[in-house]
Amino acid sequence: MNTAPAPGPRPTEGPHWLTDEEQRVWRSYLHATTLLEDHLDRQLQRDAGMPHIYYGLLVQLGEAPRRRLRMTELAMNAKITRSRLSHAIARLERNGWVRREDCPSDKRGQFAVLTDEGAEVLRRTAPGHVAAVRQALFDRLSPEQQKSLGEIMQIVAEGLQPDEAGADLPWLR
């Protein structure tokens, strides 16, 4: 149901409703991203017993120097709250895939470190995950569409990640 007012001059106050085409694009985006995230979550739960977000944390640690990152940096890269990160790292620790280490230069800081067991889980899981991403997204798009999608998502991400101090960003909460 479209609750937008009848077409005509835009009022100076009140909501700037989405056009029918914008509404179609928005709903297609929501539908696709929800289905994609569910598809990747199910694949990772089936193959490794973990949700997609945990896999992303393992990937970040696996790509980091010495397989370690400050918890604050990991939260920022994952775009999640520090509380959600702490919960995820606790579960990954229970699995033996990650360990925490205190930061010697900052008594309040901690590192998350990918263990050898976590690296092995990542090594075993990565091929299936890449296949799922390729099948669900890249195999469906032409090279031009892939390029456009990347450019569009970069513009959206840049607009949603302000640089100013005091910005309300998840990893600052």
Side-chain angles (χ1 to χ4, degrees):
M1 179 171 113
N2 187 351
T3 58
R10 190 170 143 208
T12 56
E13 292 188 25
H16 178 197
W17 298 104
L18 298 178
T19 65
D20 288 345
E21 180 61 13
E22 290 168 335
Q23 186 72 257
R24 185 194 67 72
V25 169
W26 173 241
R27 288 184 181 176
S28 292
Y29 167 82
L30 287 176
H31 191 158
T33 56
T34 299
L35 289 172
L36 179 60
E37 188 63 30
D38 179 66
H39 175 73
L40 297 176
D41 253 353
R42 283 184 289 115
Q43 177 268 319
L44 286 163
Q45 285 289 356
R46 181 182 63 245
D47 292 355
M50 76 175 103
H52 189 219
I53 190 144
Y54 291 12
Y55 178 81
L57 296 172
L58 294 180
V59 167
Q60 284 188 62
L61 292 172
E63 293 174 346
R66 297 176 39 212
R67 299 189 325 204
R68 68 189 314 115
L69 283 172
R70 293 278 306 249
M71 292 284 283
T72 51
E73 186 176 356
L74 193 54
M76 183 178 70
N77 293 347
K79 310 294 186 249
I80 59 175
T81 63
R82 291 178 288 197
S83 172
R84 186 171 182 197
L85 175 66
S86 184
H87 176 77
I89 293 297
R91 171 138 177 242
L92 293 170
E93 281 181 302
R94 283 193 300 273
N95 290 346
W97 300 343
V98 171
R99 72 175 179 275
R100 292 182 217 217
E101 292 180 357
D102 291 332
C103 178
S105 64
D106 177 2
K107 296 299 177 201
R108 294 179 302 170
Q110 284 190 317
F111 287 99
V113 182
L114 184 67
T115 65
D116 290 342
E117 187 178 345
E120 178 58 23
V121 167
L122 195 54
R123 187 195 65 72
R124 283 193 324 260
T125 306
H129 181 65
V130 170
V133 169
R134 182 167 299 289
Q135 177 270 329
L137 184 65
F138 292 103
D139 290 350
R140 299 172 188 276
L141 301 176
S142 70
E144 296 79 22
Q145 290 171 320
Q146 292 175 26
K147 184 175 188 271
S148 293
L149 180 61
E151 290 169 352
I152 290 165
M153 291 295 98
Q154 184 67 36
I155 291 166
V156 171
E158 287 171 359
L160 292 172
Q161 189 167 311
D163 292 330
E164 68 268 4
D168 184 23
L169 298 169
W171 54 93
L172 299 176
R173 291 185 227 136

